[in-house]
């Protein structure tokens, strides 16, 4: 068997310039239904979705096929999928503006992912740091799905010819891989400009929210300590308690951003305040510089409660009416299929599949 063509890096250094994508702009992003949706998911991703829906065509997916790359209890997975859809709605996504749907309801994701498994190179996937982090020491026992997670992610985006992808900083490397896969597909199959090279939308406050217990680790659903994260379903008391107990150093807050260097926990709490308030770190420090955490933390807790409590109440109301969420997911899936099916049909023709 041969695996040629094997251009190591697509659309770079060739004789001709790559042909730019000429289709419309479209935003795609997703969240895994793996439980414990937290403040990092909200600030790094969902809050951006809400703003983007007013300016672009958007698809917001609940990526349940990604979730099963690690074990999920089948009795809970559908409820967790509804919970992410409820979070999207409670955060302010209007399903008539942003299509809300479950990944597994659109078979074209899996079909395109297989083709991308054949376009991507082992060496590219071997460099993915998230696989190394999630597989841990015993990578022989990790699922094959976890290894090829980034090719499925590329398919999620490109099956809609997504041009812009709002994500947290941890997804930057996967987005670069999606661009490489799109470029290599266009080149290998002589289909110039067929797929766009999707742009990550990462910048801004909240792109990397860190654990409340360790400023060097990102806030994460899978952290065994519940005190490390603020869950979107936490009540006011839990939010205040977690912020009060958050790890800090003994120094007061500095007057300028430079003074946050080598103070990861202080930097994180200032960044969270800035993201929630819609301010810059410098503006937050102009207000709180010189004050101790004893004064700053209650203000941060009040701000977090003001933002998250109405959303949590709305999520609970929606979760009490799963039929309404199911209606949103079903009509979203139909809309998503309408976009994806012609794209996968073109891909099959380009690749040379029969029929
Ligand atoms: N700490 C974070 N700060 C900013 N953004 C974050 N995101 C995740 N954690 C942070 C962004 O949230 C979106 C959805 O994430 P995901 O559900 O796909 O899962 P993940 O990145 O694997 O998130 P977790 O919470 O850290 O889960 P585990 O513990 O399973 O690894 C993405 O846009 C992500 O960037």
């Amino acid at each position: 068997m041969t695996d040629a063509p094997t251009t190591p890096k697509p659309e770079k250094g060739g004789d001709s310039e790559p042909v730019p994508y000429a289709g419309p702009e479209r935003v795609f992003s997703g969240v895994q239904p793996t439980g414990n949706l937290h403040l990092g998911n909200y600030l790094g991703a969902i809050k951006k979705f809400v703003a983007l829906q007013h300016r672009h065509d958007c698809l917001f997916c609940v990526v349940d096929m990604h979730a099963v790359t690690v074990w999920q209890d089948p009795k809970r997975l559908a409820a967790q999928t509804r919970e992410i859809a409820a979070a999207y709605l409670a955060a302010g996504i209007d399903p008539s503006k942003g299509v809300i749907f479950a990944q597994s309801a659109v078979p074209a994701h899996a079909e395109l992912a297989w083709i991308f498994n054949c376009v991507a190179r082992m060496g590219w996937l071997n460099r993915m740091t998230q696989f190394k982090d999630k597989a841990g020491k015993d990578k022989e026992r990790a699922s094959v799905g976890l290894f090829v997670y980034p090719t499925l992610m590329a398919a999620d985006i490109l099956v809609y010819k997504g041009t812009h992808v709002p994500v947290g900083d941890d997804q930057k490397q996967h987005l670069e891989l999606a661009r490489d896969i799109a470029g290599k597909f266009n080149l290998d199959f002589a289909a110039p400009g067929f797929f766009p090279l999707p742009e990550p939308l990462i910048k801004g406050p909240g792109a990397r929210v860190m654990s409340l217990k360790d400023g060097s680790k990102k806030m994460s659903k899978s952290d065994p300590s519940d005190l490390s994260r603020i869950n979107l379903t936490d009540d006011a008391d839990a939010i205040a308690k977690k912020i009060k107990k958050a790890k800090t150093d003994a120094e007061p807050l500095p007057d300028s951003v430079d003074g946050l260097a080598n103070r990861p926990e202080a930097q994180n709490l200032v960044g969270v305040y800035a993201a929630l308030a819609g301010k810059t770190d410098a503006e937050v420090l102009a207000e709180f510089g010189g004050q101790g955490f004893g004064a700053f933390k209650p203000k941060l807790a009040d701000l977090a409660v003001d933002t998250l409590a109405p959303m949590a109440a709305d999520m609970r109301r929606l979760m009490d009416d799963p039929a309404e969420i199911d209606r949103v997911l079903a009509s979203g899936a139909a809309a998503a299929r309408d976009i994806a099916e012609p794209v996968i049909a073109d891909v099959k023709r380009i690749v040379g599949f029969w029929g």
Side-chain angles (χ1 to χ4, degrees):
M1 287 223 292
T2 169
D3 67 358
T6 54
T7 43
K9 277 280 173 188
E11 302 207 351
K12 281 183 193 147
D15 292 341
S16 55
E17 283 296 305
V19 174
Y21 176 71
E25 291 192 347
R26 182 171 286 140
V27 170
F28 175 92
S29 196
V31 175
Q32 298 185 75
T34 40
N36 298 331
L37 202 59
H38 55 73
L39 186 63
N41 299 132
Y42 175 66
L43 294 176
I46 300 174
K47 188 169 187 240
K48 293 180 196 155
F49 302 173
V50 178
L52 285 162
Q53 68 178 335
H54 302 296
R55 304 195 296 272
H56 297 277
D57 267 0
C58 293
L59 293 123
F60 301 120
C61 189
V62 185
V63 286
D64 49 358
M65 288 158 63
H66 282 285
V68 299
T69 57
V70 295
W71 172 252
Q72 301 298 325
D73 180 349
K75 292 192 206 73
R76 296 187 50 206
L77 186 57
Q80 290 173 182
T81 296
R82 289 190 189 98
E83 189 178 318
I84 303 294
Y88 285 169
L89 293 166
I93 294 171
D94 173 349
S96 70
K97 294 203 167 108
V99 176
I100 295 175
F101 68 106
Q103 183 186 27
S104 61
V106 184
H109 289 245
E111 291 181 90
L112 186 57
W114 179 255
I115 291 163
F116 285 172
N117 281 340
C118 304
V119 171
R121 302 291 100 186
M122 288 292 288
W124 298 4
L125 288 165
N126 271 330
R127 285 194 283 276
M128 296 296 111
T129 55
Q130 192 174 89
F131 175 75
K132 290 177 194 155
D133 293 344
K134 291 204 170 177
K137 289 198 182 77
D138 199 0
K139 73 178 178 26
E140 293 295 312
R141 290 173 62 84
S143 73
V144 176
L146 191 66
F147 185 69
V148 293
Y149 181 114
T151 56
L152 177 59
M153 181 167 155
D156 297 337
I157 300 161
L158 293 166
V159 82
Y160 303 102
K161 298 198 173 182
T163 55
H164 293 83
V165 187
V167 280
D169 184 67
D170 58 320
Q171 294 298 325
K172 194 169 174 221
Q173 194 185 31
H174 288 169
L175 250 299
E176 280 161 11
L177 189 95
R179 290 169 62 84
D180 285 349
I181 290 174
K184 188 171 189 300
F185 179 97
N186 292 350
L187 201 62
D188 285 356
F189 293 101
F194 179 76
F195 281 126
L197 307 193
E199 296 279 348
L201 301 175
I202 294 177
K203 286 203 185 74
R208 191 165 181 84
V209 177
M210 308 309 278
S211 158
L212 297 180
K213 296 272 106 197
D214 178 351
S216 68
K217 274 168 58 183
K218 77 162 190 151
M219 187 176 284
S220 154
K221 296 178 190 133
S222 55
D223 193 314
S225 168
D226 194 54
L227 287 176
S228 70
R229 67 182 158 261
I230 294 174
N231 301 306
L232 294 194
T233 48
D234 281 345
D235 62 21
D237 286 348
I239 294 173
K241 184 177 128 199
K242 287 176 178 181
I243 291 178
K244 193 168 172 205
K245 285 179 170 273
K247 184 178 171 196
T248 49
D249 53 41
E251 300 296 312
L253 285 169
D255 294 323
S256 72
V257 174
D258 289 348
L260 290 172
N262 303 318
R263 296 182 64 188
E265 283 84 16
Q267 187 164 41
N268 187 39
L269 295 187
V270 168
V272 167
Y273 192 104
L276 286 167
K279 294 183 173 176
T280 62
D281 288 2
E283 286 168 334
V284 175
L285 292 175
E287 198 177 335
F288 292 102
Q291 297 189 31
F293 287 100
F296 179 65
K297 280 179 168 180
K299 294 277 197 281
L300 175 59
D302 287 348
L303 182 60
V305 169
D306 286 351
T307 310
L308 299 183
M311 211 157 72
D314 220 23
M315 271 177 78
R316 280 193 287 275
R317 180 187 62 74
L318 287 157
M319 291 298 286
D320 285 344
D321 184 8
E324 173 57 21
I325 298 178
D326 286 350
R327 270 193 292 280
V328 169
L329 286 169
S331 93
R337 281 192 294 265
D338 282 349
I339 304 171
E341 280 167 6
V343 177
I344 194 71
D346 282 347
V347 167
K348 287 177 174 174
R349 185 180 43 74
I350 289 169
V351 170
F353 285 167
W354 174 87

